[in-house]
């Protein structure tokens, strides 16, 4: 079964750090671009960032709202992607989803596999 | 950044009737090298992660009922539910993946009238 499982969420004070993990199974993780998407309570989806595969030099990209504070990485030997979050702000409070960018006929499709999400609460 | 807008914000449709959601991007998401629009549609039900419905603006994801269809090109796109079912009550998002940041539209809530 193709699956993504996020972990590492919790309560953190403003200015603090947290590292989320996304464990993948059921597909060839190493060739997949992986993204993080967040959703504040009652709000819409916000793309956070992505990391491409080794073949694409593990290139990363970030939303302006998190650039310089968040870092995405991956360990293909563990089939796991990570989101390191530093200098957290109250507005970073959200459910964080890990998702796979699909490849269809050699071209990018949409994001076809999603985890259930992990909740991050930034509060004093 | 490419800004995605959706209309309407919400709509209520009778069971069996058609629901139409519009999405507009602030610049074209048509990839000229392969003539594909890098536009996806997602369905999100309460307490669940989003589910991919449509990619390349009009290609239905495997397992998605054929009452869902996508159309459009360039900057203007439409998601149509041809005959609304009770299980289609959800929020629907469009997303461009033409260039980072891969922005989402604000969402359209679909309910039963």
């Amino acid at each position: 079964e193709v699956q993504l499982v996020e972990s590492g969420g919790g309560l953190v004070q403003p200015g603090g750090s947290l590292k989320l993990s996304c464990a993948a199974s059921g597909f060839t993780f190493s060739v997949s671009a992986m993204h993080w998407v967040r959703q504040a309570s009652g709000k819409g989806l916000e793309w956070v960032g992505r990391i491409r595969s080794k073949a694409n030099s593990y290139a990363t990209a970030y939303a302006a709202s998190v650039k310089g504070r968040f870092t995405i990485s991956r360990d293909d030997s563990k089939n796991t992607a990570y989101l390191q979050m530093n200098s957290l702000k109250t507005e970073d409070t959200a459910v964080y989803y890990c998702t796979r960018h699909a490849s269809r006929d050699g071209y990018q499709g949409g994001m076809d596999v999603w985890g259930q999400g992990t909740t991050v609460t930034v509060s004093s | 950044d490419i800004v995605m807008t959706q209309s309407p914000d919400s709509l209520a449709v009778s069971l069996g009737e058609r629901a139409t959601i519009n999405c507009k991007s602030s610049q074209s998401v048509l990839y000229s090298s392969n003539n594909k629009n890098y536009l996806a549609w997602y369905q999100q039900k309460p307490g669940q992660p989003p589910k991919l419905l449509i990619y390349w603006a009009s290609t239905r994801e495997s397992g998605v009922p054929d009452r869902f269809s996508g159309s459009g090109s360039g900057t203007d796109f439409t998601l149509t539910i041809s005959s609304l079912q009770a299980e289609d009550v959800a929020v629907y998002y469009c997303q461009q993946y033409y260039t980072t940041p891969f922005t989402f539209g604000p969402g359209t809530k679909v309910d039963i009238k």
Side-chain angles (χ1 to χ4, degrees), chain A residues 61-114:
Chain A
Y62 300 92
S65 58
V66 307
K67 195 170 186 178
R69 301 188 299 122
F70 289 13
T71 302
I72 299 174
S73 61
R74 63 191 295 161
D75 185 338
D76 290 343
S77 69
K78 295 183 179 178
N79 289 343
T80 302
Y82 303 97
L83 178 63
Q84 176 69 49
M85 304 183 292
N86 299 331
S87 303
L88 282 161
K89 306 175 181 180
T90 55
E91 52 263 41
D92 295 318
T93 295
V95 174
Y96 284 74
Y97 295 104
C98 170
T99 179
R100 179 182 78 169
H101 201 155
S103 177
R104 297 284 186 268
D105 298 331
Y107 300 109
Q108 290 184 339
M111 292 171 194
D112 66 337
V113 183
W114 294 71

Side-chain angles (χ1 to χ4, degrees), chain A residues 42-61:
Chain A
K43 303 296 184 183
L45 302 171
E46 180 186 14
W47 181 83
V48 172
R50 69 104 163 98
I51 185 166
R52 300 184 74 180
S53 64
K54 181 179 181 179
N56 291 288
S57 305
Y58 297 125
T60 56

Side-chain angles (χ1 to χ4, degrees), chain A residues 35 37 39 43-47 50 61-64 97 101-102 104-105 107-112 114-117, chain B residues 1 33-34 36 38 40 42 44 47-52 54-56 61 93 95 97 100-106:
Chain A
H35 298 249
V37 173
Q39 186 171 38
K43 303 296 184 183
L45 302 171
E46 180 186 14
W47 181 83
R50 69 104 163 98
Y62 300 92
Y97 295 104
H101 201 155
R104 297 284 186 268
D105 298 331
Y107 300 109
Q108 290 184 339
M111 292 171 194
D112 66 337
W114 294 71
Q116 287 299 311
Chain B
D1 296 0
S33 62
N34 59 18
K36 294 184 185 302
Y38 278 21
Y42 301 87
Q44 187 180 32
Q48 296 184 19
K51 173 187 175 182
L52 177 64
I54 303 281
Y55 58 95
W56 296 339
E61 174 72 339
Y93 297 92
Q95 182 204 25
Y97 51 96
T100 58
F102 289 172
T103 41
F104 288 90

Side-chain angles (χ1 to χ4, degrees), chain B:
Chain B
D1 296 0
I2 298 178
V3 177
M4 306 300 291
T5 56
Q6 289 182 232
S7 63
D9 295 335
S10 64
L11 75 161
V13 175
S14 300
L15 289 172
E17 295 300 305
R18 179 185 299 261
T20 302
I21 301 168
N22 300 301
C23 172
K24 190 174 182 70
S25 57
S26 61
Q27 64 189 74
S28 176
V29 298
L30 176 63
Y31 214 61
S32 56
S33 62
N34 59 18
N35 202 37
K36 294 184 185 302
N37 289 280
Y38 278 21
L39 187 285
W41 288 96
Y42 301 87
Q43 174 193 65
Q44 187 180 32
K45 298 180 180 180
Q48 296 184 19
K51 173 187 175 182
L52 177 64
L53 296 176
I54 303 281
Y55 58 95
W56 296 339
S58 60
T59 301
R60 202 177 301 115
E61 174 72 339
S62 175
V64 173
D66 61 6
R67 63 180 180 273
F68 291 92
S69 64
S71 63
S73 183
T75 61
D76 292 276
F77 303 92
T78 300
L79 174 71
T80 300
I81 309 172
S82 60
S83 176
L84 192 75
Q85 304 300 303
E87 61 265 31
D88 301 335
V89 170
V91 179
Y92 293 83
Y93 297 92
C94 61
Q95 182 204 25
Q96 66 81 18
Y97 51 96
Y98 178 83
T99 186
T100 58
F102 289 172
T103 41
F104 288 90
T108 294
K109 185 175 182 180
V110 174
D111 250 318
I112 304 295
K113 185 187 292 183

